[in-house]
């Protein structure tokens, strides 16, 4: 058989592809595992009711700022985080999340201007949470709330699952 | 030797490259979850082992891959020596010796990272070897540990060396070795087959054998017997025979000198004799010590029983469900750390600025300080707080903190102070 026979040629090109095949095999087997390895776990939304305040504290015409402490399971850690909320005694104790619906900064209540303002991109909201102006597309989000044993409680729902 | 056999022997290059690739890929993946700090390292590693899909396999590939890599990097050096590469291809020879040293260093630093009992002792041994070095011992120990004791800083240092510095050096050596390299297609397929076979073997081995993870350092008992990985058994056994201070000579200086001699081999006279002597001695030494390490454990009944107990305990730990770590990002006190209701006078006068439970508050542009953990600060005992409420200026506080002498009686101040010192983050 001469060196240029078709048989020899195809053998040679197979041997040339072989290293690429082995590399592809290593990448594919580790890559397949990598996809499962890196895929985030879907967290179960917490349906716990968190105390905000007792009803007796919630009076007056202005929004009342409160903090709630929520637990999040994040992979290997259970984090306890604080979140700001505003209670509207004038609106049947509706609870608004302080998270701006624009990019997620925390809004603050401006007593003098009688409005909420977002420190990041100048969105403004009325005392009932309705959007006044700025880049936010909607008003502040209301949170699921209930009254239990004279205490106002809310469920914390994260932005993605909302 | 037939040219065919010669060509197959040369495939250690391909095997080392494939194993290096595996180490890089799996190492990058592990870094997505691992946290190099003494309070989270063990948790994150056991999270990878127990919870993350394919986590156990990825970590096992990385763990056993490092041992196989050391073995094949050494075989590669021997193969190059037998083919007298040092005489005609210095770059190949020097690169191979440097790689061996770097791979050992990567293995040594990597052993500390899971921060289990085994990792803790390996860090201790590294500390001991460093501190025993002549002249520079004290300083090199200090620099390695990042202080005078093994701490979370030590773990950060080992991590930075293991994932940044040493891999960068390895990449540099490999690039240097292959720069100006023209593909010898005629032999590439052999490298590919050998590398591929070793990878398949490693993948199957790792599937069947999860990487060891001992008890956490905090839960380690006094009977715990640490044993290093396969590639360091020779060192472990050698250190048994060497009296105290000389350990560093055998563990660091001697291997260093050996590597140096091998590196300089291309320029030495009587290379063949020198190389044969040095490599032969290493093979005999490492082989003898590794088997001695295994045999001495096997023969000593009490030791063997303890090692079996540890293996059983590790198996139990592996089956235990994963326990997440609690991380507090909130300043407000949570259940279980209740300090009781604030005094009435606190609610009346202090709440507006310091918050309902001392968490601090923001009023317009003014930010008022939280009182949590205030008792840990200097000059903040109950007596100090009473004094401070009477005369804030004397404690260096500025308006709008005002004196409350006209609003509160001394017992009321004391009641407030006693409540405040209990506030914790």
């Amino acid at each position: 058989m001469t060196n240029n026979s078709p048989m020899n040629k195809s053998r040679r090109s197979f041997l040339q592809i072989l290293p690429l095949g082995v590399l592809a095999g290593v990448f594919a087997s580790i890559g397949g595992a990598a996809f499962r390895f890196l895929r985030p776990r879907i967290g179960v939304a917490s349906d716990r009711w968190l105390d905000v305040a007792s009803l007796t504290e919630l009076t007056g015409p202005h929004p009342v700022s409160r903090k709630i402490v929520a637990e999040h399971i994040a992979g290997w850690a259970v984090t306890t985080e604080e979140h700001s909320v505003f209670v509207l005694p004038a609106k049947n104790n509706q609870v608004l999340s302080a998270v701006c619906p624009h990019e997620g900064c925390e809004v603050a209540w401006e007593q003098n201007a009688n409005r909420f303002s977002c420190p990041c991109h100048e969105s403004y909201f009325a005392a009932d949470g309705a959007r006044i102006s700025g880049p936010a597309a909607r008003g502040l989000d209301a949170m699921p709330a209930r009254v239990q044993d004279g205490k106002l409680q809310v469920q914390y729902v994260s932005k993605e699952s909302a | 030797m037939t040219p065919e056999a010669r060509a197959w022997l040369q495939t250690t290059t391909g095997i080392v490259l494939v194993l290096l690739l595996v180490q890089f890929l799996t190492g990058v993946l592990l870094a997505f979850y691992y946290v190099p700090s003494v309070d989270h390292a063990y948790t994150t590693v056991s999270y990878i082992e127990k919870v993350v899909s394919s986590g156990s396999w990825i970590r096992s590939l990385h763990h056993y891959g490092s041992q196989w890599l050391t073995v094949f990097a050494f075989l590669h050096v021997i193969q190059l020596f037998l083919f007298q590469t040092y005489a005609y291809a210095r770059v190949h020879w020097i690169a191979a010796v440097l790689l061996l040293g770097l791979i050992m260093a990567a293995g040594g630093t990597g052993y500390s990272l899971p921060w289990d009992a085994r990792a803790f002792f390996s860090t201790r041994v590294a500390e001991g070897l460093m501190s025993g070095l002549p002249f520079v011992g004290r300083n090199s120990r200090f620099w390695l540990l990042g202080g005078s004791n093994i701490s979370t800083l030590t773990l950060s240092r080992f991590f930075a060396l293991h994932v940044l510095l040493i891999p960068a050096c390895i990449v540099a050596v490999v690039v240097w070795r292959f720069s100006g390299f023209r593909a010898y297609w005629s032999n590439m397929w052999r490298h590919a087959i050998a590398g591929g076979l070793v990878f398949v073997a490693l993948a199957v081995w790792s599937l069947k054998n999860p990487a060891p993870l001992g008890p956490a350092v905090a839960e380690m008992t006094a009977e715990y017997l640490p044993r290093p990985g396969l590639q360091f058994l020779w060192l472990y056994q050698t250190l048994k025979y060497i009296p105290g201070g000389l350990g560093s000579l055998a563990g660091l200086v001697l291997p260093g000198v050996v590597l140096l001699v091998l590196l300089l081999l291309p320029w030495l006279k009587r290379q063949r004799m020198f190389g044969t002597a040095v490599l032969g001695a290493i093979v005999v030494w490492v082989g003898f010590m590794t088997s001695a390490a295994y045999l001495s454990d096997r023969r000593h009944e009490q030791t063997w029983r303890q090692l079996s107990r540890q293996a059983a305990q590790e198996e139990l730990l592996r089956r235990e469900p994963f326990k997440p770590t609690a991380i507090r990002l909130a300043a407000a006190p949570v259940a279980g750390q209740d300090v009781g209701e604030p005094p009435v006078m606190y609610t009346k006068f202090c709440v507006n600025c310091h918050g309902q439970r001392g968490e601090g508050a923001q009023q317009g542009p003014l930010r008022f300080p939280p009182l949590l953990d205030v008792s840990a600060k200097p000059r903040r005992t109950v007596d100090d707080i009473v004094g401070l409420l009477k005369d804030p200026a004397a404690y260096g506080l500025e308006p709008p903190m005002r004196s409350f002498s006209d609003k509160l009686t001394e017992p009321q101040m004391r009641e407030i102070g006693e409540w405040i010192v209990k506030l914790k983050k």
Side-chain angles (χ1 to χ4, degrees):
Chain A
M1 206 186 281
T2 66
N3 222 15
N4 289 328
S5 74
M7 185 79 165
N8 221 341
K9 250 188 192 161
S10 74
R11 178 175 180 264
R12 221 170 29 228
S13 59
F14 170 73
L15 292 181
Q16 282 177 7
I17 296 170
L18 196 68
L20 293 178
V22 167
L23 270 189
V26 172
F27 271 105
S29 49
I30 294 182
F35 175 74
R36 294 191 297 278
F37 185 85
L38 295 176
R39 187 175 47 192
R41 322 209 123 234
I42 296 162
V44 184
S46 164
D47 52 359
R48 269 184 57 190
W49 289 95
L50 308 162
D51 286 352
V52 179
S54 63
L55 288 181
T56 51
E57 296 169 33
L58 302 168
T59 53
H62 303 298
V64 180
S65 168
R66 282 288 178 272
K67 305 261 191 215
I68 56 169
V69 176
E71 267 190 3
H72 307 279
I73 297 176
W76 51 270
V78 177
T79 54
T80 322
E81 284 173 37
E82 213 175 52
H83 301 281
S84 290
V85 298
F86 289 100
V87 188
L88 310 180
K91 214 179 159 191
N92 198 19
N93 284 337
Q94 194 185 38
V95 185
L96 297 178
S97 164
V99 175
C100 177
H102 177 224
E103 294 292 356
C105 299
E106 266 195 15
V107 300
W109 171 247
E110 288 180 353
Q111 185 75 55
N112 301 336
N114 199 37
R115 64 179 183 184
F116 294 101
S117 75
C118 179
C120 292
H121 310 102
E122 296 180 20
S123 288
Y124 296 100
F125 307 89
D128 65 350
R131 175 182 175 273
I132 300 175
S133 64
R138 59 173 196 274
L140 295 175
D141 293 316
M143 301 169 76
R146 71 171 187 189
V147 175
Q148 186 91 354
D149 303 329
K151 278 189 175 163
L152 181 66
Q153 297 181 319
V154 288
Q155 277 180 320
Y156 178 80
V157 188
S158 80
K159 203 176 168 187
E160 309 82 69
S161 44
Chain B
M1 199 185 295
T2 65
E4 184 83 351
R6 236 182 119 83
W8 277 109
L9 279 179
Q10 278 172 334
T11 58
T12 49
T13 315
I15 297 173
V16 167
L17 282 180
V18 166
L19 287 176
L20 272 177
L21 180 68
V22 171
Q23 291 306 106
F24 273 86
L25 291 177
T26 51
V28 167
L29 287 174
L30 292 172
F32 273 83
Y33 290 102
Y34 177 74
V35 174
S37 104
V38 288
D39 53 353
H40 296 323
Y42 185 78
T43 313
T44 51
V45 173
S46 63
Y47 182 72
I48 292 170
E49 279 288 332
K50 293 178 181 180
V51 183
V52 181
S53 307
S54 303
S56 177
W57 185 58
I58 299 275
R59 180 165 171 260
S60 192
L61 276 180
H62 198 71
H63 176 88
Y64 291 112
S66 81
Q67 303 185 351
W68 290 32
L69 183 55
T70 314
V71 172
F72 280 106
F74 183 57
L75 290 178
H76 182 55
V77 169
I78 291 191
Q79 177 253 311
L80 291 186
F81 176 76
L82 292 178
F83 288 17
Q84 299 181 34
T85 315
Y86 52 85
Y88 64 87
R90 285 178 186 177
V91 171
H92 290 194
W93 172 256
I94 292 168
V97 176
L98 280 178
L99 260 189
L100 178 61
L102 287 167
I103 286 166
M104 301 278 299
T109 47
Y111 238 82
S112 299
L113 299 187
W115 210 240
D116 58 351
R118 196 180 275 109
F120 179 76
F121 281 111
S122 104
T123 316
R124 267 281 156 84
V125 173
E127 175 196 8
L129 289 179
M130 277 291 184
S131 65
L133 285 177
F135 310 116
V136 293
R138 253 188 83 204
N139 274 324
S140 47
R141 173 182 175 277
F142 197 60
W143 278 74
L144 182 76
L145 300 190
S148 35
N149 284 304
I150 293 180
S151 70
T152 197
L153 291 178
T154 316
L155 193 53
S156 297
R157 282 182 180 225
F158 277 57
F159 179 70
L161 290 172
H162 183 80
V163 308
L164 296 169
L165 209 58
I166 296 171
C169 295
I170 289 179
V171 169
V173 170
V174 171
V175 167
W176 179 54
R177 156 75 170 78
F178 286 100
S179 59
F181 166 83
R182 284 203 327 258
Y184 298 114
W185 286 110
S186 59
N187 203 20
M188 281 285 266
W189 64 275
R190 286 195 186 85
H191 287 281
I193 287 178
L197 284 178
V198 169
F199 172 71
V200 170
L202 177 66
V204 173
W205 171 270
S206 302
L207 215 49
K208 308 227 165 196
N209 300 281
L213 182 64
V217 171
E219 289 158 27
M220 184 168 61
T221 55
E223 302 91 68
Y224 190 82
L225 295 177
R227 290 292 178 272
L230 176 73
Q231 76 267 53
F232 291 111
L233 273 178
W234 62 271
L235 175 58
Y236 155 81
Q237 187 68 14
T238 306
L239 291 177
K240 284 191 192 173
Y241 302 127
I242 306 228
L246 296 175
S248 306
L249 289 181
L252 280 179
V253 178
L254 196 62
V257 171
V258 166
L259 279 182
L260 198 65
V261 169
L262 290 178
L263 279 178
L264 296 177
L265 201 63
W267 293 277
L268 293 182
K269 282 180 180 164
R270 300 195 193 166
Q271 307 162 316
R272 200 161 174 76
M273 193 199 77
F274 249 120
T276 310
V278 169
L279 285 173
I282 296 178
V283 171
V284 171
W285 187 260
V286 169
F288 178 77
M289 283 299 165
T290 305
S291 23
Y294 178 75
L295 286 176
S296 76
D297 279 347
R298 194 76 228 225
R299 277 201 200 124
H300 197 269
E301 198 189 326
Q302 215 175 332
T303 307
W304 190 247
R305 226 183 294 137
Q306 173 62 20
L307 287 174
S308 319
R309 248 200 310 270
Q310 285 172 201
Q313 188 200 10
E314 263 183 36
E315 192 50 44
L316 280 180
L317 276 177
R318 183 172 297 285
R319 280 160 203 222
E320 259 179 28
F322 173 74
K323 282 193 241 73
T325 300
I327 297 182
R328 297 207 48 221
L329 302 171
V334 289
Q337 296 184 330
D338 201 3
V339 293
E341 289 298 308
V344 178
M345 286 300 155
Y346 177 89
T347 314
K348 193 167 176 190
F349 291 114
C350 317
V351 162
N352 278 341
C353 299
H354 292 296
Q356 293 212 318
R357 293 190 167 263
E359 68 270 26
Q362 176 107 34
Q363 286 188 4
L366 287 176
R367 181 146 196 96
F368 293 95
L371 303 173
L372 309 170
D373 281 340
V374 86
S375 57
K377 293 181 183 164
R379 297 185 73 210
R380 291 293 185 273
T381 63
V382 176
D383 287 343
D384 284 323
I385 292 171
V386 171
L388 185 155
L389 285 169
K390 286 180 186 161
D391 185 5
Y395 281 80
L397 299 179
E398 289 165 359
M401 179 78 193
R402 48 161 289 187
S403 165
F404 283 86
S405 299
D406 55 335
K407 303 272 185 195
L408 299 167
T409 62
E410 172 129 8
Q412 286 171 337
M413 291 179 180
R414 191 156 290 279
E415 193 191 359
I416 290 174
E418 275 162 357
W419 183 75
I420 285 175
V421 294
K422 284 190 282 181
L423 296 174
K424 294 278 178 288
K425 266 183 192 156

